[in-house]
């Protein structure tokens, strides 16, 4: 039996015919997959836009609810900004207060006797530094007992309770200056030493600046604070005291911020209209082109009857 191959000797381009038949067979599937891909891309794009507009609407809604609502936002002003300013937080309410700054809080400062230089030997022993009710110890010995060593050990102490040490070079020598890091009488600084030289403590100190509390009068009532940032006197209001001027009464006004309220409401309306427009665009059926929006039929974005 003879073996033959179609096209051999006939002049037919068998390879081309096979290629065309395969392409014809594959074309419908490729077209279908292409349409599905296009539809999927359109749907994902529409969902992304919808999600973004929903996020914008949520942000606009959040601005109008809770303790920080734009509807409750206050404007605050001081008639004596050179004496005091103020800021508000949760709990503040509209109102007006007369404020008199009687005294500013101050840090505590003490200084040592004068030494010949920073390298002068202070002595050996334990030095106790107190800040208010808390204290810590520094030990001076032959490995480090100069005035500079004392300063460094105070500043580097891991249990330092809130004091900074520095050296002041003045006519006649050098003094150690200890300064509390916080204002107020509760942070007064003191230094004591157990060792003695000639029957006296080997480090003598005297007061350079007394710790003082801040004092203000609000509508005639006195309030004391260890800091020049006064909180607790008026709910939701923090005073920043800048200068004491007894006898001068300034006015603190707190009023509703109408612009913030208006802007927040307008932002909500704009966000709502935007999302309605998105729902109408991507969830409708266009009768003229007989095409459905990519999100038509999606329960989360059904927009029948909605208008932007």
């Amino acid at each position: 039996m003879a073996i033959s191959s179609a096209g051999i000797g006939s002049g037919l381009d068998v390879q081309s015919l096979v290629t065309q038949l395969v392409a014809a067979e594959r074309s419908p599937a490729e077209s279908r997959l292409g349409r599905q891909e296009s539809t999927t891309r359109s749907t994902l794009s529409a969902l992304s836009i919808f999600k973004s507009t929903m996020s914008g609407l949520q942000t606009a809604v959040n601005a109008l609810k809770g303790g920080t609502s734009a509807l409750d936002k206050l404007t605050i002003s001081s008639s004596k900004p050179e004496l005091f300013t103020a800021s508000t937080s949760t709990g503040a309410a509209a109102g007006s207060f007369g404020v008199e700054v009687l005294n500013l809080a101050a840090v505590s400062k003490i200084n040592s006797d004068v030494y010949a230089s920073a390298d002068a030997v202070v002595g050996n022993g334990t030095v106790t530094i107190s800040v208010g009710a808390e204290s810590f110890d520094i030990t001076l010995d032959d490995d480090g007992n100069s005035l500079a060593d004392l300063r460094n050990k105070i500043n580097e102490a891991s249990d330092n309770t809130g004091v900074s040490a520095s050296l002041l070079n003045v006519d006649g020598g050098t003094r150690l200056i200890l300064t509390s890091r916080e204002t107020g009488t509760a942070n007064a600084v003191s230094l004591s030493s157990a060792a003695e030289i000639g029957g006296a403590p080997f480090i003598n100190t005297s007061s350079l600046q007394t710790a003082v509390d801040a004092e203000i009068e609000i509508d005639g009532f006195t309030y004391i604070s260890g800091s020049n940032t006064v909180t607790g006197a008026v709910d939701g209001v923090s005073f920043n005291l800048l200068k004491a001027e007894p006898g001068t009464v300034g006015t603190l006004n707190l009023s509703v911020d109408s612009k913030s309220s208006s802007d927040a409401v307008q932002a909500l309306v704009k966000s709502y209209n935007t999302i309605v427009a998105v729902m109408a665009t991507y969830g409708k059926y266009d009768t003229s082109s007989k095409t459905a929006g990519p999100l038509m039929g999606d329960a989360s974005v059904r927009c029948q009857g909605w208008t932007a």
Side-chain angles (χ1 to χ4, degrees):
M1 179 177 179
I3 298 175
S4 64
S5 177
I8 297 177
S10 66
L12 292 175
D13 186 350
V14 176
Q15 183 64 37
S16 177
L17 287 173
V18 171
T19 301
Q20 292 179 46
L21 287 171
V22 171
E25 183 70 21
R26 186 174 58 192
S27 180
E30 287 183 337
S31 297
R32 183 176 66 257
L33 290 174
R35 289 193 298 272
Q36 289 177 348
E37 181 182 7
S38 177
T39 299
T40 300
R41 288 182 181 276
S42 296
T43 301
L44 290 175
S45 176
L47 284 172
S48 177
I49 294 172
F50 178 68
K51 180 181 178 181
S52 177
T53 54
M54 283 295 292
S55 177
L57 180 63
Q58 184 64 61
T59 298
V61 171
N62 289 341
L64 293 170
K65 69 178 185 179
T68 57
S69 169
L71 298 178
D72 298 324
K73 188 174 181 180
L74 301 174
T75 58
I76 188 165
S77 63
S78 166
S79 67
K80 295 290 182 180
E82 71 277 13
L83 303 183
F84 68 90
T85 59
S87 58
T88 60
S89 59
T90 302
S96 179
F97 304 91
V99 180
E100 182 179 359
V101 183
L102 301 175
N103 202 62
L104 293 183
V107 297
S108 170
K109 281 188 177 185
I110 61 174
N111 69 107
S112 71
D113 287 346
V114 66
Y115 289 80
S117 69
D119 296 325
V121 174
V122 174
N124 293 348
T126 300
V127 180
T128 300
I129 296 94
S130 299
V131 183
E134 299 183 338
S135 64
F136 64 101
D137 293 334
I138 294 297
T139 300
L140 298 178
D141 51 35
D142 291 339
D143 293 329
N145 59 8
S146 69
L147 195 63
D149 290 326
L150 177 57
R151 174 200 60 191
N152 295 339
K153 289 185 177 184
I154 291 173
N155 289 334
E156 295 168 3
S158 60
D159 56 349
N160 187 316
T161 54
V163 62
S164 295
S166 58
L167 296 182
L168 179 63
N169 297 310
V170 295
D171 289 343
T174 303
R175 294 178 185 270
L176 175 73
I177 308 296
L178 298 183
T179 306
S180 61
R181 294 174 183 167
E182 302 291 339
T183 57
T185 56
N187 296 299
V189 175
S190 63
L191 181 149
S192 61
S193 54
E196 295 183 350
I197 295 177
F202 73 93
I203 301 176
N204 289 304
T205 61
S206 57
S207 176
L208 190 61
Q209 178 173 290
T210 303
V212 179
D213 288 330
E215 183 178 359
I216 62 173
E217 279 194 2
I218 302 175
D219 286 347
F221 297 96
T222 302
Y223 190 86
I224 305 296
S225 170
S227 168
N228 288 316
T229 299
V230 180
T231 58
V234 177
D235 283 348
V237 178
S238 176
F239 293 88
N240 181 31
L241 307 186
L242 303 174
K243 180 182 177 182
E245 196 170 291
T248 300
V249 179
T251 301
L252 179 71
N253 285 313
L254 293 88
S255 56
V256 175
D257 188 345
S258 57
K259 185 178 185 306
S260 292
S261 300
S262 176
D263 289 347
V265 172
Q266 289 180 27
L268 176 63
V269 172
K270 182 179 179 180
S271 296
Y272 174 80
N273 286 337
T274 298
I275 199 167
V276 168
V278 168
M279 293 165 69
T281 298
Y282 294 104
K284 71 179 181 180
Y285 179 79
D286 190 334
T287 56
S288 60
S289 64
K290 300 186 185 309
T291 56
L295 298 181
M296 182 178 176
D298 190 314
S300 62
V301 293
R302 284 178 183 164
C303 54
Q304 291 86 348
W306 291 83
T307 56

